[in-house]
Amino acid sequence: MKIQEIHIYGFGHLNNIEIKNLSDFQVFYGENEAGKSTIMAFLHGILFGFPTKQSSELRYEPKNGSSYGGKLRIFFDGHGLVTVERIRGKALGDVTVTLEDGTTGNEELLKQLLGNMDKGLYQAIFSFNIHGLQNIHQMKGEELGRFLFSTGTLGTERLAKTEAELQKELEARFKPSGKKPVINEKLKAVHELNSELTKAAAKNQEYEKLITDKEKINTEIKNISHSLLELKGEVDKLNEWQKIHSLVKEERWINNEIVSLGDIPFPARGVERIEKLNQLIYPYNAQISGLMERVMQLRNEIAAIKPDKQFLEHESQLLAALNQIPIYEQLTLEKQQCELKLVDLEDKISNINERLHLPLNEEEIFAINTNIYMKNQVEQVSRKKQKLSEVKQELEEKFREEQNVLEELEEKVHKAETKVIAVQERARLEKLVTEEREKGKVELELKAVQDKMEYYQHSNEQEKKAFAKIHKQKQIQFLVIGVLLLLLAFYGLYSQQWILLVMGILGSILIGAFLGNRRNPKNETDISQVLSQLLEKEKQLIQKLGSFKNSNISAIQEKLNQDQLLREKLQLLKVKLEQQQTQYEKVIRKFEEWESEEAENKELLLKLSKELNIPEYIANSFFLEAFQLIEQYKLVGREKRHLLIRLENINLEQSKITERLAFYSKEYIADHGNDLAKTAFLLRDKLKEEHGRLIKSQEKKEKLEDFEADLKQMKQEQAHLILERKKLLQEANVVDEEAFYELGRKVEKKIKLIERLADIKKQLQYSVLTGKEQERLLHIHNVDEQISQYHDKIKALSSKLAELQKEQAAINYQIQVLEEGGSYSELLHIFKQKKFELEDAAKDWSVYCIAQNILSQTVEKYKNAHLPRMLAKAEEYLYFLTEEQYHRIHLQKSGTGFLIERSDYTLFEANELSQATTEQVYVSIRLALAATLYEKYHFPIIIDDSFVNFDENRTKKIIELLTTLKTNQILFFTCHKHLLPHFQTENIQHLHKDHVEVIS
């Protein structure tokens, strides 16, 4: 798994940030508050979900309102490039996963891709920071060893904390000789309550009679109290009635009035609407009269204007003729220019004939083929002739250069062949080197076998001692527990509590069975077998070492290396020689190709010159220039012919324009002559005058149409308003406006009554009296007298209640006297309760005891099954980081700590090491955990400034170690600039407080 791109839509103070092309070892450098922690939290959030609002983690929601979330582009083995996008949504955010083949999914698909890895486990294994190292600095003694062991199992210190918490919980609940633990206190309380329960049994009969009397008095007091509440409720209702009875009566009167008025058919806002219609109808009369007068006036003015319609009908033809005047003048100018140009063309033709000097007349020259194809052939032949001349010079120079280079390379190859070692001699030397390498491997294997033998012998002795000590401690603990269980059984027999008796007996039997079952230290036979196998293997390796011969391998290896360099140089020279021979042959082939092309081109030139009637002596030197002169002659000749034709057309067009204008001047104007410009002016002036009359007439007609339309519109609007007023009268079912207004006054009165009724209902809605109660109280004539009667009843009941309460107090006092030491039933209840609490506390204690046992068994299994492989890798890392000073990490036989072995075989506990060495042990264990037990999860390892306390040499070593982790991408976050020279420049991403540089 490799993260290739990061795109942050909005997360904390980062907005619309894209980081592309992340490397296998990516470094993020930035000062404080540049966004390093934000990017790390973003990676965890996209992969495992945003923190919920109830979580103690920061959510990094944007403050500027931008979109919350982003996406990652990740390469997964077997799935290709996958896009994981998570935005604001439900608790953890809405996630969309898009595979390379276009398949999409949600949270389930993402969990499948991540192998069901959760956020807590990922942070514990693959993400660590300086806080883990700070925990090491704060611990002392045995805590440090437990912390390192917990780190090697879970990636965090949770195992050590869990073990301490379980022991603390067990001691808080029970100690064999303790007084304060919960179970000890509850056992003491149960014994004390048992003696008090016996004393209280004698007073039980008298106590039960007083309890019966007390219950009777309580029932009577309850009934009287209920009656008092009902009476007080009636009094409250009567007092409320005195406040609202006037409103209730008014409400009933208004309802009757509304019923008497009945339903009145009257339009909504009828009076307002009819008054508004009358205000609109009256002004229309004056407006209609004024418009009719204006219409008559316009009709008279239109009749007085009469334009010449016949003249205007010929307007288009006349304008077309007048528009020809500028064309006539332009044609006159063009005629003069053509005549001048004709003279110039004749001079050009004469000049071309002198330069070309061919025995051909004009018609013969025009008959020569000068089309595009012929021109293209002439240009190609001429260009190729020039190019072939240049190529010949280049080939001659190239031939001389390639020949010189070829001779030099042949000489170098001959010299290099004389310097290399013969093949048979080289094979003999290589065999000697191979045998020496095999000897080194055997020596390393022998040392490893001897180390294992020493380790197993030491482990066997330590395990025997530790087993005897632990067995003795467990015997003492279980003996104490057995005594307590026997005491519990005797107590159950004495108090006839058979459950306690059974529990005590069964527990004693189980303790006895455990004490009788002493197991020997495990794996003694296995260790003996392994030791014998290792001894046999040691003998075989020593014999194998004796079979190797001693030789000066370093000198032989140096000689082979020098020979290899010479052979590589010779091979390179041979390759260059082959290439040069190829180049030399290519130059020769190009000479042959040039001669063939030159003959073909000359043959084509002679053929074209015959077709163009160009002599051979001219074609050999000036073929293209002669063809261009022929083209130029034909072009100028055609232009001369076109000019002569154009002069004839100009004369014809001018005569047509003159004849057309002469026709219109005779028809429509009195003064006409031969002046073409004056005739055109008079015709335009008359056309303008007739147009003015026509426009004025049309304007008057348009105004007349507008006034007639307005007059029609006003009459329609006035009729519509009158019709609306008539409809209002019909809706009210009246014939005139006076009756309409009278009916409107009645409607207004009814509306006011309805409004008053609504106001009364608003006041009554806050009353506690319901409609039925109001109806009942309407029939009461003297409310004050009724209230007085209720007060007398309340007084009598209150007096009786006081007497019962005194009697109740006396009985309570007698009961209290009997309960000085606690009544029998209460003591029995308390005894059972305490007994239940004791049993419940014992169950809790047993749960923690079982949990501690399970944890111990799990740790033991882990130590035997998985921890050795992890420790082997951690030893390899520690050996590298400490520059071979520390090479072993041993498990302590008791507890969950580690012993670190130095190169001189001295053992140290974790707290005895220096601060920097302890940190190196921690880093080695964390990286080994990810590389062994979680090797199938190729997740990126996130490191946040975890090595700032290391000196320069230790920092260099840890970075070298990280570069060897090829299966995991490394994301390294730092704010320390002095670390940057240790990394490649292209792998460093610079972060700034205001922005992030984008990697593309």
CSV table of all heavy atoms in Angstrom, one decimal, residues 640-678:
chain,number,residue,atom,x,y,z
A,640,LYS,N,-2.5,42.2,-71.5
A,640,LYS,CA,-2.7,43.2,-72.6
A,640,LYS,C,-4.1,42.9,-73.3
A,640,LYS,O,-4.8,43.8,-73.6
A,640,LYS,CB,-1.6,43.1,-73.6
A,640,LYS,CG,-1.7,43.9,-74.8
A,640,LYS,CD,-0.6,43.7,-75.8
A,640,LYS,CE,-0.8,44.5,-77.1
A,640,LYS,NZ,0.3,44.3,-78.1
A,641,ARG,N,-4.3,41.6,-73.6
A,641,ARG,CA,-5.6,41.2,-74.2
A,641,ARG,C,-6.8,41.6,-73.3
A,641,ARG,O,-7.8,42.1,-73.8
A,641,ARG,CB,-5.6,39.7,-74.5
A,641,ARG,CG,-4.6,39.3,-75.5
A,641,ARG,CD,-4.7,37.8,-75.7
A,641,ARG,NE,-3.7,37.4,-76.8
A,641,ARG,CZ,-3.6,36.1,-77.2
A,641,ARG,NH1,-4.3,35.1,-76.7
A,641,ARG,NH2,-2.7,35.8,-78.1
A,642,HIS,N,-6.7,41.4,-72.0
A,642,HIS,CA,-7.8,41.7,-71.1
A,642,HIS,C,-8.0,43.2,-71.1
A,642,HIS,O,-9.2,43.7,-71.0
A,642,HIS,CB,-7.4,41.3,-69.6
A,642,HIS,CG,-7.4,39.8,-69.5
A,642,HIS,ND1,-6.7,39.1,-68.5
A,642,HIS,CD2,-8.0,38.8,-70.2
A,642,HIS,CE1,-6.9,37.8,-68.7
A,642,HIS,NE2,-7.7,37.6,-69.7
A,643,LEU,N,-7.0,44.1,-71.2
A,643,LEU,CA,-7.2,45.5,-71.2
A,643,LEU,C,-7.9,46.0,-72.4
A,643,LEU,O,-8.8,46.9,-72.4
A,643,LEU,CB,-5.8,46.2,-71.1
A,643,LEU,CG,-5.1,46.3,-69.7
A,643,LEU,CD1,-3.7,46.9,-69.8
A,643,LEU,CD2,-6.0,47.1,-68.8
A,644,LEU,N,-7.6,45.4,-73.6
A,644,LEU,CA,-8.3,45.8,-74.8
A,644,LEU,C,-9.8,45.5,-74.7
A,644,LEU,O,-10.7,46.2,-75.1
A,644,LEU,CB,-7.7,45.1,-76.0
A,644,LEU,CG,-6.2,45.5,-76.3
A,644,LEU,CD1,-5.6,44.6,-77.4
A,644,LEU,CD2,-6.2,47.0,-76.8
A,645,ILE,N,-10.1,44.3,-74.2
A,645,ILE,CA,-11.5,43.9,-74.0
A,645,ILE,C,-12.2,44.8,-73.0
A,645,ILE,O,-13.4,45.2,-73.2
A,645,ILE,CB,-11.6,42.4,-73.5
A,645,ILE,CG1,-11.1,41.5,-74.6
A,645,ILE,CG2,-13.0,42.1,-73.1
A,645,ILE,CD1,-10.9,40.1,-74.1
A,646,ARG,N,-11.5,45.2,-71.9
A,646,ARG,CA,-12.2,46.1,-70.9
A,646,ARG,C,-12.5,47.5,-71.5
A,646,ARG,O,-13.5,48.1,-71.2
A,646,ARG,CB,-11.2,46.2,-69.7
A,646,ARG,CG,-11.7,47.1,-68.6
A,646,ARG,CD,-13.0,46.6,-68.1
A,646,ARG,NE,-13.6,47.5,-67.1
A,646,ARG,CZ,-14.9,47.5,-66.7
A,646,ARG,NH1,-15.7,46.7,-67.3
A,646,ARG,NH2,-15.3,48.3,-65.8
A,647,LEU,N,-11.6,48.0,-72.4
A,647,LEU,CA,-11.9,49.3,-73.0
A,647,LEU,C,-13.2,49.3,-73.8
A,647,LEU,O,-14.0,50.3,-73.8
A,647,LEU,CB,-10.7,49.7,-73.9
A,647,LEU,CG,-9.5,50.2,-73.1
A,647,LEU,CD1,-8.3,50.4,-74.0
A,647,LEU,CD2,-9.8,51.6,-72.4
A,648,GLU,N,-13.4,48.2,-74.5
A,648,GLU,CA,-14.7,48.1,-75.3
A,648,GLU,C,-15.9,48.1,-74.4
A,648,GLU,O,-16.9,48.7,-74.6
A,648,GLU,CB,-14.6,46.8,-76.1
A,648,GLU,CG,-13.6,46.9,-77.2
A,648,GLU,CD,-13.5,45.6,-78.0
A,648,GLU,OE1,-14.4,44.7,-77.7
A,648,GLU,OE2,-12.7,45.4,-78.9
A,649,ASN,N,-15.8,47.4,-73.3
A,649,ASN,CA,-16.9,47.3,-72.3
A,649,ASN,C,-17.2,48.6,-71.6
A,649,ASN,O,-18.4,49.0,-71.4
A,649,ASN,CB,-16.6,46.2,-71.2
A,649,ASN,CG,-16.6,44.8,-71.8
A,649,ASN,OD1,-17.2,44.5,-72.8
A,649,ASN,ND2,-15.8,43.9,-71.1
A,650,ILE,N,-16.2,49.4,-71.3
A,650,ILE,CA,-16.4,50.7,-70.7
A,650,ILE,C,-17.2,51.6,-71.6
A,650,ILE,O,-18.1,52.3,-71.2
A,650,ILE,CB,-15.0,51.3,-70.3
A,650,ILE,CG1,-14.4,50.6,-69.1
A,650,ILE,CG2,-15.2,52.8,-70.0
A,650,ILE,CD1,-13.0,51.0,-68.8
A,651,ASN,N,-16.9,51.7,-72.9
A,651,ASN,CA,-17.6,52.5,-73.8
A,651,ASN,C,-19.1,52.1,-73.9
A,651,ASN,O,-19.9,53.0,-74.0
A,651,ASN,CB,-16.9,52.4,-75.2
A,651,ASN,CG,-15.5,53.1,-75.2
A,651,ASN,OD1,-15.3,54.0,-74.5
A,651,ASN,ND2,-14.6,52.5,-76.1
A,652,LEU,N,-19.3,50.8,-73.9
A,652,LEU,CA,-20.7,50.3,-74.0
A,652,LEU,C,-21.5,50.7,-72.8
A,652,LEU,O,-22.7,51.2,-72.9
A,652,LEU,CB,-20.7,48.8,-74.2
A,652,LEU,CG,-22.0,48.1,-74.4
A,652,LEU,CD1,-22.7,48.7,-75.6
A,652,LEU,CD2,-21.9,46.6,-74.5
A,653,GLU,N,-21.0,50.6,-71.6
A,653,GLU,CA,-21.7,50.9,-70.3
A,653,GLU,C,-22.0,52.4,-70.2
A,653,GLU,O,-23.1,52.8,-69.7
A,653,GLU,CB,-20.8,50.4,-69.1
A,653,GLU,CG,-20.8,48.9,-69.0
A,653,GLU,CD,-19.9,48.5,-67.8
A,653,GLU,OE1,-19.5,49.4,-67.0
A,653,GLU,OE2,-19.6,47.3,-67.7
A,654,GLN,N,-21.1,53.2,-70.6
A,654,GLN,CA,-21.3,54.7,-70.5
A,654,GLN,C,-22.5,55.1,-71.4
A,654,GLN,O,-23.3,56.0,-71.1
A,654,GLN,CB,-20.0,55.4,-70.9
A,654,GLN,CG,-19.0,55.4,-69.8
A,654,GLN,CD,-17.7,56.2,-70.2
A,654,GLN,OE1,-17.4,56.3,-71.4
A,654,GLN,NE2,-17.0,56.7,-69.3
A,655,SER,N,-22.6,54.5,-72.6
A,655,SER,CA,-23.7,54.9,-73.5
A,655,SER,C,-25.1,54.5,-72.9
A,655,SER,O,-26.0,55.2,-73.1
A,655,SER,CB,-23.5,54.2,-74.9
A,655,SER,OG,-23.5,52.8,-74.8
A,656,LYS,N,-25.1,53.3,-72.2
A,656,LYS,CA,-26.4,52.9,-71.6
A,656,LYS,C,-26.8,53.8,-70.5
A,656,LYS,O,-28.0,54.2,-70.4
A,656,LYS,CB,-26.2,51.5,-71.0
A,656,LYS,CG,-26.1,50.4,-72.1
A,656,LYS,CD,-25.9,49.0,-71.4
A,656,LYS,CE,-25.8,47.9,-72.4
A,656,LYS,NZ,-25.6,46.6,-71.8
A,657,ILE,N,-25.9,54.3,-69.7
A,657,ILE,CA,-26.3,55.3,-68.6
A,657,ILE,C,-26.8,56.6,-69.2
A,657,ILE,O,-27.8,57.1,-68.7
A,657,ILE,CB,-25.0,55.5,-67.7
A,657,ILE,CG1,-24.7,54.2,-67.0
A,657,ILE,CG2,-25.3,56.6,-66.7
A,657,ILE,CD1,-23.3,54.3,-66.3
A,658,THR,N,-26.2,57.1,-70.2
A,658,THR,CA,-26.7,58.4,-70.8
A,658,THR,C,-28.1,58.3,-71.4
A,658,THR,O,-28.9,59.1,-71.2
A,658,THR,CB,-25.7,58.8,-71.9
A,658,THR,OG1,-24.4,58.8,-71.4
A,658,THR,CG2,-26.0,60.2,-72.5
A,659,GLU,N,-28.4,57.2,-72.1
A,659,GLU,CA,-29.7,57.0,-72.7
A,659,GLU,C,-30.8,56.9,-71.6
A,659,GLU,O,-31.9,57.5,-71.7
A,659,GLU,CB,-29.7,55.7,-73.5
A,659,GLU,CG,-28.9,55.8,-74.8
A,659,GLU,CD,-28.8,54.5,-75.5
A,659,GLU,OE1,-29.3,53.5,-75.0
A,659,GLU,OE2,-28.1,54.4,-76.5
A,660,ARG,N,-30.6,56.2,-70.4
A,660,ARG,CA,-31.6,56.0,-69.4
A,660,ARG,C,-32.0,57.4,-68.7
A,660,ARG,O,-33.1,57.7,-68.5
A,660,ARG,CB,-31.1,55.0,-68.4
A,660,ARG,CG,-32.2,54.6,-67.4
A,660,ARG,CD,-31.7,53.5,-66.4
A,660,ARG,NE,-31.1,52.4,-67.1
A,660,ARG,CZ,-30.5,51.4,-66.5
A,660,ARG,NH1,-30.3,51.5,-65.2
A,660,ARG,NH2,-30.0,50.4,-67.2
A,661,LEU,N,-31.0,58.2,-68.4
A,661,LEU,CA,-31.3,59.5,-67.7
A,661,LEU,C,-32.0,60.4,-68.7
A,661,LEU,O,-32.8,61.2,-68.3
A,661,LEU,CB,-30.0,60.1,-67.2
A,661,LEU,CG,-29.3,59.4,-66.0
A,661,LEU,CD1,-28.0,60.0,-65.7
A,661,LEU,CD2,-30.3,59.5,-64.8
A,662,ALA,N,-31.7,60.4,-70.0
A,662,ALA,CA,-32.4,61.3,-70.9
A,662,ALA,C,-33.9,61.0,-71.0
A,662,ALA,O,-34.7,61.9,-71.1
A,662,ALA,CB,-31.7,61.1,-72.3
A,663,PHE,N,-34.3,59.7,-70.9
A,663,PHE,CA,-35.7,59.3,-70.9
A,663,PHE,C,-36.5,59.9,-69.7
A,663,PHE,O,-37.5,60.5,-69.9
A,663,PHE,CB,-35.8,57.8,-70.9
A,663,PHE,CG,-37.2,57.3,-70.6
A,663,PHE,CD1,-38.1,57.3,-71.7
A,663,PHE,CD2,-37.6,56.8,-69.4
A,663,PHE,CE1,-39.4,56.8,-71.5
A,663,PHE,CE2,-38.8,56.4,-69.2
A,663,PHE,CZ,-39.8,56.4,-70.2
A,664,TYR,N,-35.9,59.9,-68.5
A,664,TYR,CA,-36.6,60.4,-67.3
A,664,TYR,C,-36.7,61.9,-67.3
A,664,TYR,O,-37.7,62.5,-66.8
A,664,TYR,CB,-36.0,59.9,-66.0
A,664,TYR,CG,-36.2,58.4,-65.7
A,664,TYR,CD1,-35.2,57.5,-65.7
A,664,TYR,CD2,-37.5,58.0,-65.5
A,664,TYR,CE1,-35.4,56.1,-65.5
A,664,TYR,CE2,-37.8,56.6,-65.3
A,664,TYR,CZ,-36.7,55.7,-65.2
A,664,TYR,OH,-37.0,54.4,-65.0
A,665,SER,N,-35.7,62.6,-67.9
A,665,SER,CA,-35.7,64.1,-67.9
A,665,SER,C,-36.8,64.6,-68.8
A,665,SER,O,-37.5,65.6,-68.5
A,665,SER,CB,-34.4,64.6,-68.3
A,665,SER,OG,-34.1,64.2,-69.6
A,666,LYS,N,-37.1,63.9,-69.9
A,666,LYS,CA,-38.2,64.3,-70.8
A,666,LYS,C,-39.5,64.1,-70.2
A,666,LYS,O,-40.5,64.9,-70.4
A,666,LYS,CB,-38.1,63.5,-72.2
A,666,LYS,CG,-36.9,63.9,-73.0
A,666,LYS,CD,-36.8,63.0,-74.3
A,666,LYS,CE,-35.6,63.3,-75.1
A,666,LYS,NZ,-35.5,62.5,-76.3
A,667,GLU,N,-39.7,63.1,-69.4
A,667,GLU,CA,-41.0,62.7,-68.8
A,667,GLU,C,-41.5,63.6,-67.7
A,667,GLU,O,-42.6,64.0,-67.6
A,667,GLU,CB,-41.0,61.2,-68.4
A,667,GLU,CG,-41.0,60.2,-69.5
A,667,GLU,CD,-42.3,60.1,-70.2
A,667,GLU,OE1,-43.4,60.4,-69.6
A,667,GLU,OE2,-42.3,59.9,-71.4
A,668,TYR,N,-40.6,64.0,-66.7
A,668,TYR,CA,-41.0,64.5,-65.5
A,668,TYR,C,-40.4,65.9,-65.2
A,668,TYR,O,-40.8,66.5,-64.2
A,668,TYR,CB,-40.6,63.6,-64.3
A,668,TYR,CG,-41.2,62.2,-64.4
A,668,TYR,CD1,-40.5,61.1,-64.7
A,668,TYR,CD2,-42.6,62.1,-64.2
A,668,TYR,CE1,-41.1,59.9,-64.8
A,668,TYR,CE2,-43.2,60.9,-64.3
A,668,TYR,CZ,-42.4,59.7,-64.6
A,668,TYR,OH,-43.0,58.5,-64.7
A,669,ILE,N,-39.5,66.5,-66.0
A,669,ILE,CA,-39.0,67.8,-65.7
A,669,ILE,C,-39.1,68.7,-67.0
A,669,ILE,O,-38.9,68.1,-68.1
A,669,ILE,CB,-37.6,67.9,-65.1
A,669,ILE,CG1,-36.6,67.1,-66.1
A,669,ILE,CG2,-37.5,67.2,-63.7
A,669,ILE,CD1,-35.1,67.2,-65.6
A,670,ALA,N,-39.3,70.0,-66.8
A,670,ALA,CA,-39.5,70.8,-68.0
A,670,ALA,C,-38.2,71.3,-68.6
A,670,ALA,O,-38.0,71.3,-69.8
A,670,ALA,CB,-40.3,72.1,-67.6
A,671,ASP,N,-37.2,71.6,-67.7
A,671,ASP,CA,-35.9,72.1,-68.1
A,671,ASP,C,-34.9,70.9,-68.3
A,671,ASP,O,-34.5,70.4,-67.3
A,671,ASP,CB,-35.4,73.1,-67.1
A,671,ASP,CG,-34.1,73.7,-67.6
A,671,ASP,OD1,-33.7,73.5,-68.8
A,671,ASP,OD2,-33.4,74.4,-66.8
A,672,HIS,N,-34.6,70.5,-69.5
A,672,HIS,CA,-33.7,69.3,-69.6
A,672,HIS,C,-32.7,69.7,-70.8
A,672,HIS,O,-33.1,70.4,-71.7
A,672,HIS,CB,-34.4,68.0,-70.0
A,672,HIS,CG,-35.3,68.1,-71.2
A,672,HIS,ND1,-36.6,68.6,-71.1
A,672,HIS,CD2,-35.0,67.9,-72.5
A,672,HIS,CE1,-37.1,68.6,-72.4
A,672,HIS,NE2,-36.2,68.1,-73.2
A,673,GLY,N,-31.5,69.2,-70.6
A,673,GLY,CA,-30.4,69.6,-71.6
A,673,GLY,C,-29.4,68.4,-71.7
A,673,GLY,O,-29.7,67.3,-71.2
A,674,ASN,N,-28.2,68.7,-72.1
A,674,ASN,CA,-27.2,67.7,-72.3
A,674,ASN,C,-26.3,67.5,-71.1
A,674,ASN,O,-25.5,66.6,-71.0
A,674,ASN,CB,-26.3,68.0,-73.5
A,674,ASN,CG,-27.1,68.0,-74.8
A,674,ASN,OD1,-28.0,67.1,-75.0
A,674,ASN,ND2,-26.8,68.8,-75.8
A,675,ASP,N,-26.4,68.4,-70.1
A,675,ASP,CA,-25.6,68.3,-68.9
A,675,ASP,C,-26.2,67.2,-68.0
A,675,ASP,O,-27.2,67.3,-67.4
A,675,ASP,CB,-25.6,69.7,-68.1
A,675,ASP,CG,-24.6,69.7,-67.0
A,675,ASP,OD1,-24.0,68.6,-66.8
A,675,ASP,OD2,-24.4,70.7,-66.4
A,676,LEU,N,-25.4,66.1,-67.9
A,676,LEU,CA,-25.8,64.9,-67.1
A,676,LEU,C,-25.9,65.2,-65.6
A,676,LEU,O,-26.9,64.7,-65.0
A,676,LEU,CB,-24.8,63.8,-67.4
A,676,LEU,CG,-25.3,62.4,-67.0
A,676,LEU,CD1,-26.5,62.0,-67.9
A,676,LEU,CD2,-24.2,61.4,-67.2
A,677,ALA,N,-25.0,66.0,-65.1
A,677,ALA,CA,-25.1,66.3,-63.6
A,677,ALA,C,-26.3,67.1,-63.3
A,677,ALA,O,-26.9,66.9,-62.2
A,677,ALA,CB,-23.8,67.0,-63.2
A,678,LYS,N,-26.6,68.1,-64.1
A,678,LYS,CA,-27.8,69.0,-63.8
A,678,LYS,C,-29.1,68.2,-63.9
A,678,LYS,O,-30.0,68.4,-63.1
A,678,LYS,CB,-27.8,70.2,-64.8
A,678,LYS,CG,-28.9,71.2,-64.6
A,678,LYS,CD,-28.8,72.3,-65.6
A,678,LYS,CE,-29.9,73.3,-65.3
A,678,LYS,NZ,-29.9,74.4,-66.3
